[in-house]
Amino acid sequence: MKVSFEAIKDEYERNWSNMRIRSGRAEAATQAARKAINHKDTYTEIQNKTDVPWWFVAVLHSRESSFNFNTYLGNGQPLNRVTTIVPKGRGPFASFAEGAVDALRLEGFVGARDWSIAKTMFRLEQYNGFGYRGRGVNSPYLWSGSNVYGPPEQRGGKFVSDGSLDPGTVDPQLGAAVILKAMMELDASITFDGGPTMLSHLEPEEQMASTALLMQKCLNNLGANPMLDEDGIVGPKTKAAVAQFQQQHGIAETGVLDPMTVAAITRAAQQPVTPAPTVDLSQILKRLEDLAQIMRGGLPATSTPPVIAPPAANDPITLFERLFALINKTAPMPGPVTPTSPAPVDQLKQVVDLLSTLLNKDGKPVLGQVNGALGETIGKLLNGKKTALGLIGSVLTALLSSVTASPNAGGIAGLLGTIVSAVPGLGQFAMPISLALTAWGVLGKMEKWAQGTAPPPKVTT
């Protein structure tokens, strides 16, 4: 959903004023507050480098990794390793403070001046994402452990996985606002600024908003899935979409809108989308079906073929037609080549020449490249099996094509009828594929014979 700070500012102030820590969670909130205050010096070190209030860093640290100082503030992963979830590729870091400064800079919090209660709550919810708001639930990241989240006063619910909210689950972890409230009761120095001192001052995230909005629009135009809310807020969904774009375009996958990524997204969005050319396969299928008819020993269909431009002399299908014409002298071949009746020696020479054309091109084995086109793994899997699979497929296709679907039939007939009715026009595409697989296997064997790579015959006793 599209979120605007100005639209929900009053809601944050109202919830903060009305918030009460639940009696059953009061002791846990006090303990969390003490932990935060005990490490105030570390958080203050980060504040001095970023201008981000120490108490804000503390409540983030509580939510992200339960005050574990061996983790990265950006996502709770170990400091001594490169991060593997968004933001990816960060670290390793020598200290918690070093990693925290990096995380706060990526979020655009460094240099912010407005730390009013509304802006603070907005930044905390933004850090975790606005998914709960879209489900009508006050975010537990802020309010868990208070009367603002969960029954009986409010709706509960927790995301148990990406996009899956369980309305019957209540987040057991204390919310950031609850911990902050408890910290204020123990440390009177924690106060909220009323807002920026200069009316013309733009907060860091506001400065980034126009760029973020443009990037969201570009990513949506490029097919972001799911579609992004074009709100100028770099939340978890936008970070995930950015990370996916980076992965697809060979950029370090961080999920961060750094200058290189912004430039790459802009270039990609500006490139015109060229529709894929429409390929008419009907002529090729017609010729393959004619070849199938000849291989079965019959004649091709006598319907008048459409007038088409003659194929090139070295067109693979034309070469197959000529080869079958030389081998099968009883049936005329489709296409522009009409077989003659040469002397046996001449006919054999033509067969050898055609096989040489199929097996070699500029001294390179063409069929070797074709047979290897499926890759090492699949190529080895189908090695020696293509001919058998093609013949079995041809027989099954012929059987299925001759079956009349009958809803009342039982046994095998009913099963075949169900398959036929579920796949209309089965023979029109399955038979050419099966025959092509058979031809591929036969020609593959010819290739092995021509290259001397065929296995030696088995010795029989």
Side-chain angles (χ1 to χ4, degrees), residues 386-405:
K386 294 186 287 295
T387 305
L389 290 173
L391 290 173
I392 293 172
S394 301
V395 173
L396 288 177
T397 302
L399 289 173
L400 291 173
S401 299
S402 63
V403 172
T404 301

Side-chain angles (χ1 to χ4, degrees), residues 323-335:
L323 180 61
F324 285 128
L326 291 169
I327 296 174
N328 183 359
K329 304 302 297 177
T330 62
M333 294 302 303

Side-chain angles (χ1 to χ4, degrees), residues 69 88 125 132 153 159 166 180 189 227 234 304 315 333 436:
F69 284 88
K88 294 183 179 181
E125 186 170 2
Y132 287 99
E153 300 91 347
F159 282 106
D166 182 358
L180 183 55
S189 69
M227 291 282 288
V234 185
T304 304
D315 174 22
M333 294 302 303

